[in-house]
């Protein structure tokens, strides 16, 4: 049984030994120290049931680039443990840490143009694409594929503005100001173009109505015909009746 875990400083000698057995590109021990001290989240190892390191991935971040991205420095799996999917699991662990911890937009690597097994792993299994071909990249003069894999989930992630920050407070103030302008009603009539104040409106009580000539009449004069002009004849008739 083999487990994939984060590498520690104690694993560096075993990682270097695995590299010397598997790859022609070798590094001094201080280069491993540089990686584990700078980006400890990106280094992973495959450990056998007896504690032997049978694979590793050495990765770093290109933080000074215009677009932050990760880079796979070295990947190796012992011949005795190949065809078990260990290389894919090591790479996926590094990819996850690059995206989640460092916010990388993509990851890059170099592979020899003659290394068809590695090329198939990167392109068909892990989804890398060839970005360019760098001539005489390796010390022996062989060309290298410059391959890249974008982290689409990270790119589409919306920006999070922490609550209480200056940006958040500015957005709240703008929102409140806009709401105030919409809800606020005019409190006074403005002057006309001649500069004179508009005439005050005449308020008519519910019991009053206004006639066509502009006079305000009470409800007694307009709604009840028995109490208007026709009231006088009825009074005379009442007097004649008494006589």
């Amino acid at each position: 049984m083999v487990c994939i875990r984060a590498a520690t400083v104690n694993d560096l000698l075993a990682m270097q030994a695995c590299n010397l057995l598997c790859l022609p590109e070798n590094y001094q021990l201080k280069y491993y120290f540089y990686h584990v001290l700078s980006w400890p989240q990106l280094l992973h190892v495959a450990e056998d049931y007896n504690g032997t390191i049978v694979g590793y991935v050495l990765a770093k971040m290109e933080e000074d680039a215009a677009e932050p991205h990760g880079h796979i420095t070295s990947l190796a799996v012992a011949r005795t443990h190949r065809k078990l999917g260990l290389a894919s699991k090591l790479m996926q662990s590094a990819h996850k840490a690059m995206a989640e911890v460092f916010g990388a937009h993509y990851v890059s690597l170099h592979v020899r143009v003659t290394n068809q097994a590695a090329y198939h792993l990167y392109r068909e299994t892990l989804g890398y694409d060839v970005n360019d071909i760098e001539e005489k990249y390796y010390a022996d003069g062989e060309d290298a594929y410059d391959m890249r894999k974008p982290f689409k989930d990270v790119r589409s992630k919306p920006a999070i503005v922490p609550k209480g920050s200056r940006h958040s407070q500015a957005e709240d103030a703008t929102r409140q100001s806009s709401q105030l302008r919409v809800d606020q009603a005019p409190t006074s009539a403005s002057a006309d173009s001649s500069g004179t104040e508009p005439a005050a409106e005449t308020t008519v009580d519910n019991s009053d109505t206004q006639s066509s000539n502009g006079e305000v009449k009470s409800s007694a004069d307009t709604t009840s015909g028995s109490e208007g002009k026709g009231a006088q004849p009825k009074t005379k008739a009442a007097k004649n009746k008494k006589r």
Side-chain angles (χ1 to χ4, degrees):
M1 182 179 177
V2 180
C3 70
I4 306 297
R5 62 170 176 82
T8 66
V9 174
N10 296 329
D11 299 318
L12 297 185
L13 283 173
M15 292 170 64
Q16 186 184 39
C18 185
N19 169 264
L20 292 172
L21 290 173
C22 300
L23 298 174
E25 294 80 38
N26 309 128
Y27 312 100
Q28 295 182 5
L29 188 59
K30 63 181 181 181
Y31 196 56
Y32 292 90
F33 270 106
Y34 168 66
H35 278 71
V36 76
L37 294 176
S38 301
W39 309 281
Q41 301 90 339
L42 302 185
L43 279 67
H44 292 79
V45 294
E47 185 178 29
D48 202 353
Y49 65 93
N50 59 4
T52 303
I53 301 300
V54 296
Y56 74 90
V57 60
L58 189 68
K60 63 179 181 178
M61 287 297 300
E62 301 288 358
E63 297 170 330
D64 295 333
E67 190 175 14
H69 63 277
H71 183 77
I72 303 297
T73 303
S74 178
L75 171 71
V77 176
R79 292 183 180 275
T80 55
H81 289 76
R82 292 179 183 175
K83 304 296 182 182
L84 299 177
L86 298 181
S88 297
K89 293 177 181 177
L90 287 166
M91 291 286 285
Q92 290 166 357
S93 298
H95 292 167
K96 184 178 180 182
M98 288 176 185
E100 294 183 356
V101 179
F102 296 98
H105 292 185
Y106 66 91
V107 57
S108 64
L109 59 82
H110 293 94
V111 61
R112 291 175 177 267
V113 296
T114 58
N115 191 345
Q116 292 301 311
Y119 177 80
H120 183 274
L121 168 69
Y122 298 141
R123 184 173 178 85
E124 303 299 332
T125 305
L126 297 174
Y128 281 76
D129 291 318
V130 176
N131 179 65
D132 196 4
I133 297 178
E134 298 193 19
E135 297 181 356
K136 300 180 180 180
Y137 178 80
Y138 293 98
D140 58 3
E142 185 173 351
D143 298 344
Y145 288 126
D146 173 16
M147 305 188 75
R148 296 184 181 184
K149 173 185 172 64
F151 295 140
K152 296 180 181 178
D153 294 341
V154 175
R155 280 179 143 175
S156 60
K157 205 173 185 180
I160 299 174
V161 179
K163 237 181 174 181
S165 66
R166 288 184 297 173
H167 295 290
S168 178
Q169 292 172 357
E171 288 180 1
D172 293 342
T174 303
R175 192 181 304 110
Q176 292 174 1
S177 177
S178 300
Q179 187 67 28
L180 182 62
R181 286 198 298 269
V182 172
D183 295 341
Q184 187 177 16
T187 55
S188 62
S190 59
D192 59 10
S193 59
S194 62
T196 59
E197 292 290 332
E201 296 180 357
T202 303
T203 304
V204 181
D205 189 78
N206 291 336
S207 62
D208 297 336
T209 59
Q210 190 171 6
S211 65
S212 60
N213 62 0
E215 297 177 356
V216 178
K217 296 184 179 181
S218 67
S219 58
D221 296 331
T222 58
T223 60
S224 177
S226 60
E227 297 180 3
K229 293 181 180 179
Q232 189 175 359
K234 288 187 177 182
T235 304
K236 291 180 180 180
K239 290 180 179 180
N240 294 333
K241 192 175 181 180
K242 288 179 180 180
R243 288 175 184 172

